[in-house]
Amino acid sequence: MQPIQVDVVQTKLSEYLNQEVYLHLETTNGAYAAHRFGQPMAVCAYIRNGKVKFERASIAGDKPYRVGLKMADGWIYAQGLTDFEVDGLGRLLLAGHDEEGRLAVSLELSRTPFPMSVLDEEEV
Amino acid sequence: MQKERHVLLVYPHPDDESFGKAGSVALYTKAGTPVTLICGTLGELGRNMGKPTFANRESLPAIRKKELEEACAALGIEDLRLLGLRDKTVEFEDPEWVADKIEAIIREVKPSVLVTYYPKHGVHPDHDALSHAAVIAVKRLPKEERPVIYGSAVTHNARDVIGPPDITFDVTDVLDTKLAAMRAHKSQYESMFSRMEEEMAKSPEAREQIEANLRTEYFWIYPVAD
């Protein structure tokens, strides 16, 4: 991944407007947050392959960045995004890494489902 | 170490077999014991991406699979079974269904020892879910065919709750192999142990202290009720 370039990400986000796309959205402070890192509790939420459709998509902020996707009946939101990549399959991967390079937040969009297992990919 | 008929390792994530246990595994294979590793998931949702970051959420699973294969090669594990479960979801699967998969492998390789996390003392929910399923699988066997279960208890209060460890392995003779297996998990190791490596490089005293901790590995025998 590389540091977010706002114009590149904004252009890419706009390519997904008004069509059904697959969403991976995640935030985590690590499974050992409480056990090893002195935080009150481990916190994580993710959705993989949520099928969504949004009519407005914007990136805002300045290192780190925020992304908001406006749907007909709701919103998708991520904060703390630092890096991006358009991968070999044309998917937009956005992530926020902490000072140690660990993933804290992730928002990804794809026209095809994200794989649930690389083992499945190998069988294809 | 005494040669066993067969050792079966049951862990949910790549690196579980190495961090804290690689020395014991290396001692088993060095003694000529065949070792099978069941790895439940590919740690797809790990937050460590290498240091500096070289993986992303989508490339991580394939990277961790390769790292796992390298760790197995370092440890002399020739039989790796991937269950294809998904990171962080193991506790939400039907435990009997997960146990089916483990039971089939137990019946095939007939281990004398099964090594996993100590039930309820694994800290990570996937650890506890898979050790729970392993116990279910073992209980399905006739008593005389059951492997002994060695569990790693990693909760802070383990010794207060279940007492001192039953088994202590001195892994001094295979320390290099242990470190090679740990370092094979590059995407995880560098994030988790870069400070340890820095300290080791800084002074011989620090290296000695760290290596002293790495030289000993502990297990608790999990009593399987009828």
Side-chain angles (χ1 to χ4, degrees):
Chain A
M1 303 189 95
Q2 55 176 301
I4 282 177
Q5 296 171 253
V6 174
D7 48 346
V8 176
V9 171
Q10 182 61 61
T11 302
K12 190 71 190 169
L13 283 172
S14 301
E15 289 175 13
Y16 293 105
L17 290 177
N18 303 313
Q19 58 197 285
E20 201 162 69
V21 294
Y22 292 89
L23 168 76
H24 174 95
L25 179 65
E26 170 189 359
T27 182
T28 180
N29 66 352
Y32 300 99
H35 179 71
R36 203 181 292 152
F37 297 98
Q39 295 180 39
M41 56 192 168
V43 175
C44 172
Y46 83 90
I47 177 169
R48 188 161 179 85
N49 286 329
K51 268 193 206 176
V52 299
K53 194 174 181 178
F54 46 87
E55 62 205 34
R56 195 177 155 73
S58 305
I59 180 164
D62 184 14
K63 287 185 199 171
Y65 300 89
R66 301 173 295 279
V67 163
L69 310 175
K70 187 179 189 184
M71 300 183 290
D73 300 309
W75 280 92
I76 294 160
Y77 172 83
Q79 183 173 33
L81 299 165
T82 57
D83 297 275
F84 89 108
E85 180 174 328
V86 177
D87 76 0
L89 297 169
R91 303 177 294 199
L92 175 61
L93 314 183
L94 297 167
H97 296 104
D98 68 13
E99 69 287 357
E100 301 281 330
R102 295 174 298 216
L103 184 139
V105 60
S106 169
L107 189 162
E108 304 175 347
L109 294 166
S110 171
R111 290 199 177 84
T112 54
F114 291 98
M116 290 307 294
S117 166
V118 293
L119 305 180
D120 298 341
E121 282 182 328
E122 283 170 1
E123 284 161 16
V124 171
Chain B
M1 181 187 281
Q2 188 186 322
K3 186 172 184 286
E4 290 286 340
R5 184 173 67 232
H6 200 117
V7 166
L8 176 62
L9 312 173
V10 185
Y11 294 117
H13 313 115
D15 77 20
D16 288 336
E17 82 299 329
S18 289
F19 296 170
K21 308 136 195 129
S24 306
V25 178
L27 285 178
Y28 279 124
T29 55
K30 199 179 168 192
T33 299
V35 174
T36 295
L37 168 60
I38 294 178
C39 189
T41 80
L42 288 174
E44 295 90 349
L45 288 172
R47 67 175 181 147
N48 294 317
M49 296 289 170
K51 193 178 177 182
T53 303
F54 62 84
N56 66 49
R57 179 50 80 239
E58 298 310 317
S59 66
L60 188 66
I63 289 169
R64 295 196 72 176
K65 181 167 178 275
K66 192 159 170 286
E67 291 172 348
L68 178 62
E69 288 161 357
E70 285 168 12
C72 285
L75 292 173
I77 298 172
E78 291 175 359
D79 186 19
L80 170 62
R81 313 288 182 101
L82 303 174
L83 297 187
L85 302 172
R86 187 149 178 100
D87 198 8
K88 292 188 179 173
T89 67
V90 182
E91 63 181 325
F92 306 110
E93 299 282 11
D94 176 358
E96 300 290 335
W97 176 77
V98 179
D100 290 347
K101 295 169 183 284
I102 299 170
E103 182 191 350
I105 297 168
I106 293 177
R107 289 187 185 277
E108 181 191 333
V109 304
K110 299 184 171 51
S112 43
V113 174
L114 185 154
V115 192
T116 185
Y117 282 95
Y118 195 95
K120 296 183 182 165
H121 286 275
V123 175
H124 193 301
D126 286 341
H127 296 172
D128 286 343
L130 207 61
S131 61
H132 175 60
V135 170
I136 292 173
V138 168
K139 278 185 179 176
R140 290 178 184 168
L141 300 171
K143 271 187 185 171
E144 61 279 10
E145 291 175 22
R146 290 175 184 170
V148 180
I149 298 179
Y150 290 3
S152 306
V154 290
T155 48
H156 294 308
N157 68 349
R159 286 167 197 250
D160 298 333
V161 180
I162 56 174
D166 299 301
I167 297 150
T168 303
F169 288 134
D170 178 346
V171 305
T172 304
D173 292 349
V174 291
L175 196 58
D176 288 349
T177 306
K178 173 176 180 169
L179 280 163
M182 290 170 68
R183 287 174 183 141
H185 294 284
K186 194 170 160 54
S187 67
Q188 309 303 301
Y189 181 84
E190 290 175 355
S191 301
M192 294 165 75
F193 295 102
S194 60
R195 285 206 183 87
M196 184 185 94
E197 290 275 357
E198 283 165 22
E199 306 240 326
M200 281 168 79
K202 229 182 275 171
S203 78
E205 294 77 22
R207 171 176 286 272
E208 181 49 42
Q209 183 56 48
I210 290 163
E211 288 191 351
N213 291 334
L214 289 169
R215 272 189 211 115
T216 313
E217 295 178 0
Y218 305 98
F219 297 93
W220 284 255
I221 292 176
Y222 183 74
V224 178
D226 298 328

